[in-house]
Amino acid sequence: MRGLSRLHDPAHTGPNRCLPCTAVNGVLLVVVTALVAVASAPWLAVAVLVTGAVLVWQRGYLVPYTPRFAPGIVETLPLPDDWFRNPPQQGSLSDDESVDGGDVLAALDVAGVVRLEGEDVVLEDAFERRWHEEMAALADRSPAALAEAAASIPSVESVEHVRSGGNRWFVVDGRHDLIPRPIVVAELAAVRTLPDDVEPEAVRLAASRVLRQFLEACPVCETELVPSSTTGCCGSPRDAQETRVCPECEQRVLTIPEPDSASEA
Ligand SMILES: [Zn+2]
């Protein structure tokens, strides 16, 4: 399977797979296979079908440059935008949006978790090391044990783990959001590692959300994160937000904040 993995393109498969691109290419593949079957030998048609299917599976699409022309085609179709949008995967242990992003950064700066270098915010090595150790320890826990640990945060009342779409998710305080496992691991590890003087609890939780912006690898499996978007590659660019996802866990790890919002993650 080594040859297959060389073909693999995480930018258009897994969590980044665009259903319209895949569907359009699937239809084209069937049409081409039928034409080959009629015009040539059946074995050649089978070869075309198998090769095409492997390419769509591993690369997300078959026709070169599909993501470049497909958005234009999709925009002209009289269909709801929602059909072409990956389900929104917002979610964080805290849904409290009232904490100011500037206050969070100031608290982290005072506590020695980050330092401000001009326009840049730099994570301090000592905190980063402790945070990553805690993430590694939490990543080894079963979903039930992770849920129990997350529920021990004072302002969190309940955490349940659920399985959906072949993945593990967490439901906090009965909210509608399904929170990906890497986010629970990252935020819980941050809450447990932050110095005591990052307070009150709402600021600690907001800080744990902001700290996800510093992740370059998945907190669960340590795979390098890949760019994605909250809309599929064929989707309307309206309201799309840039994200980083783990291609291995097939889950979102962070959302790049809009320029005017420092607290979103
Ligand atoms: Zn992962």
Side-chain angles (χ1 to χ4, degrees):
M1 297 296 272
R2 197 133 146 249
L4 279 185
S5 64
R6 232 191 346 254
L7 279 175
H8 185 66
D9 176 10
H12 296 104
T13 53
N16 287 344
R17 181 178 294 281
C18 174
L19 292 181
C21 275
T22 303
V24 165
N25 278 272
V27 170
L28 284 172
L29 179 60
V30 169
V31 171
V32 171
T33 302
L35 289 175
V36 172
V38 170
S40 182
W43 69 266
L44 192 58
V46 171
V48 166
L49 184 64
V50 170
T51 308
V54 166
L55 282 171
V56 173
W57 169 42
Q58 285 291 320
R59 301 201 58 81
Y61 56 89
L62 174 67
V63 181
Y65 307 112
T66 294
R68 290 198 204 168
F69 65 76
I73 296 174
V74 168
E75 282 282 297
T76 63
L77 295 176
L79 297 170
D81 277 355
D82 291 0
W83 288 21
F84 301 108
R85 195 172 292 218
N86 289 337
Q89 290 184 21
Q90 299 304 333
S92 165
L93 287 177
S94 164
D95 67 343
D96 183 356
E97 303 287 337
S98 66
V99 184
D100 181 71
D103 291 347
V104 172
L105 281 183
L108 291 176
D109 184 28
V110 169
V113 173
V114 300
R115 63 178 186 276
L116 308 177
E117 290 184 356
E119 295 279 284
D120 291 338
V121 181
V122 181
L123 199 58
E124 292 286 4
D125 291 343
F127 172 79
E128 186 173 25
R129 196 171 49 246
R130 287 199 304 276
W131 181 34
H132 279 264
E133 283 168 6
E134 186 65 25
M135 283 192 283
L138 290 175
D140 285 341
R141 295 201 182 186
S142 68
L146 186 60
E148 196 182 322
S152 69
I153 296 173
S155 59
V156 172
E157 283 179 13
S158 70
V159 182
E160 286 168 54
H161 62 97
V162 294
R163 187 179 273 280
S164 174
N167 260 325
R168 287 288 181 185
W169 306 85
F170 293 80
V171 176
V172 176
D173 293 343
R175 292 200 305 266
H176 182 65
D177 262 0
L178 289 181
I179 305 173
R181 186 172 167 206
I183 289 181
V184 174
V185 167
E187 293 192 355
L188 179 58
V191 167
R192 290 161 81 119
T193 314
L194 282 169
D196 291 342
D197 51 348
V198 178
E199 54 174 5
E201 190 68 26
V203 171
R204 288 179 81 78
L205 282 170
S208 73
R209 197 165 61 195
V210 169
L211 286 167
R212 273 193 280 125
Q213 297 293 329
F214 290 96
L215 291 172
E216 289 172 356
C218 174
V220 170
C221 67
E222 297 183 354
T223 302
E224 195 180 335
L225 304 181
V226 295
S228 182
S229 152
T230 50
T231 176
C233 71
C234 284
S236 163
R238 268 174 289 159
D239 306 324
Q241 283 183 289
E242 205 185 328
T243 62
R244 295 288 179 271
V245 299
C246 172
E248 196 63 36
C249 297
E250 304 198 344
Q251 287 185 311
R252 183 182 67 94
V253 178
L254 62 98
T255 304
I256 308 293
E258 302 286 312
D260 58 346
S261 149
S263 62
E264 189 162 15

